[in-house]
Amino acid sequence: MGGRETDVVLLDENGIRSDGRKVNETRKVTIKVGVLKNADGSAYIEFGGNKILAGVFGPRDVHPKHMSNPDTGILRVRYHMEPFSVSERKNPAPSRREIEISKVLKEALEPAVILEKFPRTAIDVYLEVLQADGGTRCAALDAASVALADAGIPMRDMVCSCAAGKAADALILDVNNEEDQAGQADMPIGYMPNLGKITLLQLDGVLTTDEFKKCIELGLEGCKQVYEIQKNALREKYFSSGDNN
Amino acid sequence: MKKLESKKRYVLPGDFITTAPLRLQDNVVLEGKRVISTTIGLSDVSADSVRVISLNGIYMPKIDDLVIGTIQSIFGNSWFADINSCYQGMLLGQDVFGRGSYPTTSEMKERLDKGDIIFARIANSDRQREPLISIADKNLGKIDSGELIKIPPTKIPRLIGKHGSMIQTIEASTNATITVGQNGFIVVSCDETNGLLKALAAIRMIDEQAHLVDLTDKVKKMLEFNGV
């Protein structure tokens, strides 16, 4: 961010980005549902070079007890990066950045999950980043909502997420690691398409008002593409052997 | 029957079902004027109501449900039983020993100890307290023998079938007695090993293929095939 010097050409004269994508193209996304046997719900996502595992437990007893709420359930999210997820060893202790991402992801999921049905319980979401390549919070949010659906937790809608940003003075969809490092802006968006509500919006960098609006529009397009992939992943697990529909 | 089947549709959380002003039943919410599914399942729109038959999820206690539980602990004057939910079933000492009695822990242990399996009724369930269960009725109480198995509670209606057709089919062809708890715990008891294994296989099959049509026929075939 902030135009760090780099040898990589972020956008060539043909409008092709450093990894061969067009400006309005996302990376390849694949999602697998139900990959963990011991979790109530789970998902594995590959979002370009990002590889993330999500496991969901609950609703279950809250420990420590004082955290429980007699009116509603609580949602707890832990985002964690493995020491081997980046090129230089990352200290496995929760960093300031991981604590922040855990918090924003929790708040991005809360509008979707119907917690009021489960007073005095907790729903735990564990997100493990196995390999990071820029845009892990978006990919983690995508995996988390699929895992929540897999756990059978009632939700108003699934949250899908994709980043948009600005690099080499052009608005781009799905910012990768190089573009994040050397680009001008990165804006992760979480979105509930069926309800038309944005649940996560962060912006690192500088955009004009006009660019900001266009950036959101671009990001929402990406979110919708991811949403279809999320739904297909769930359909594959739950409906594939059926002939209904 | 076919007509009713055709109204069912696979839905995911957030999927739009209908705008008709129908009574909302399980697993749906109203967003504006649109009825939306909250879970993975089959949408079922009938003449006056709309619901989604969930394909996964945990058991939520409902009053008068019959459940199977395993005793987890004795605390004060009550037993606490695992009823396959996020809440523990609370069985009061008075329910077993009669009103106004104050049994000692050893007396309670003698009657029901840790790990014992009970067939109980949900006597009361609200948002404030742990669900109250009762074994004070005929047919209810401790289960002495049988194999305890667990299937997702959402698949119990499938195991029972329309008017109990599925369960009767299994019981008739295996001579097994199957006690079904609404919470997904099932106790199968049978004098013959073969019958027990067949009944267990049939239940596993229902668990795996709960979302498919013509399941009763498939189970019938499987039972006949194994029987020859």
Side-chain angles (χ1 to χ4, degrees), chain A residues 175-189:
Chain A
V175 182
N176 70 20
N177 199 30
E178 288 86 43
E179 289 160 347
D180 186 28
Q181 298 293 329
Q184 292 148 303
D186 175 22
M187 184 162 74
I189 302 171

Side-chain angles (χ1 to χ4, degrees), chain A residues 59 61 71 114 116-121 149-150 152 154-157 194-195 231 238-239 241-242 244, chain B residues 8-15 31 34 36-38 40 55-56 58 60 86-87 127-130 211-212:
Chain A
D61 269 359
D71 297 322
I114 304 174
E116 309 88 83
K117 273 195 174 180
F118 309 104
R120 290 174 285 120
T121 65
D150 182 42
M155 289 197 288
R156 292 180 183 89
D157 196 356
N194 277 330
L195 304 182
K231 282 167 79 169
Y238 284 94
F239 310 145
S241 46
N244 201 339
Chain B
K8 287 185 183 164
R9 199 160 57 85
Y10 286 130
V11 287
L12 295 170
D15 277 359
E31 290 287 342
R34 308 188 311 156
I36 280 171
S37 165
T38 63
I40 300 168
L55 292 180
N56 59 8
I58 61 150
M60 290 304 281
C86 47
Y87 308 108
R127 288 174 63 87
Q128 275 80 49
R129 303 200 309 161
E130 298 292 298
H211 59 295
L212 303 184

Side-chain angles (χ1 to χ4, degrees), chain B residues 71 73-79 93 97 102-114:
Chain B
I71 302 290
S73 59
I74 299 172
F75 189 80
N77 211 3
S78 348
W79 289 274
F97 292 97
Y102 295 95
T104 61
T105 310
S106 59
E107 277 175 327
M108 290 176 69
K109 264 192 179 156
E110 219 166 89
R111 193 65 74 90
L112 284 173
D113 204 356
K114 252 182 220 174

Side-chain angles (χ1 to χ4, degrees), chain A residues 18 40-41 69 88 98 101 111 134 136-137 142 145-146 149 195 222 245:
Chain A
S18 57
D40 294 328
N69 186 334
E88 226 162 274
E98 283 167 293
I101 293 178
T136 49
R137 73 189 70 195
D142 293 328
S145 57
V146 172
L195 304 182
N245 221 2

Side-chain angles (χ1 to χ4, degrees), chain B residues 81-140:
Chain B
D82 171 21
I83 52 166
N84 197 23
S85 174
C86 47
Y87 308 108
Q88 283 196 320
M90 186 164 73
L91 177 63
L92 295 180
Q94 311 173 357
D95 188 73
V96 177
F97 292 97
R99 275 187 87 173
S101 57
Y102 295 95
T104 61
T105 310
S106 59
E107 277 175 327
M108 290 176 69
K109 264 192 179 156
E110 219 166 89
R111 193 65 74 90
L112 284 173
D113 204 356
K114 252 182 220 174
D116 282 353
I117 296 169
I118 52 166
F119 191 43
R121 184 173 59 84
I122 306 280
N124 193 11
S125 170
D126 56 38
R127 288 174 63 87
Q128 275 80 49
R129 303 200 309 161
E130 298 292 298
L132 210 59
I133 59 175
S134 163
I135 56 168
D137 208 341
K138 61 176 183 178
N139 305 330
L140 300 182

Side-chain angles (χ1 to χ4, degrees), chain A residues 5-54:
Chain A
E5 287 304 314
T6 175
D7 302 335
V8 187
V9 181
L10 291 178
L11 198 70
D12 71 7
E13 60 276 13
N14 300 322
I16 300 296
R17 287 150 73 179
S18 57
D19 53 3
R21 286 184 288 150
K22 292 180 196 138
V23 283
N24 59 353
E25 198 178 340
T26 65
R27 288 171 282 182
K28 190 171 181 284
V29 185
T30 46
I31 303 176
K32 261 188 171 171
V33 186
V35 288
L36 305 173
K37 187 176 127 274
N38 294 337
D40 294 328
S42 59
Y44 171 68
I45 187 169
E46 285 188 15
F47 202 115
N50 294 306
K51 297 182 178 178
I52 299 170
L53 260 179

Side-chain angles (χ1 to χ4, degrees), chain B residues 15 35 57 160 218:
Chain B
D15 277 359
V35 179
I160 293 168
K218 280 180 195 161

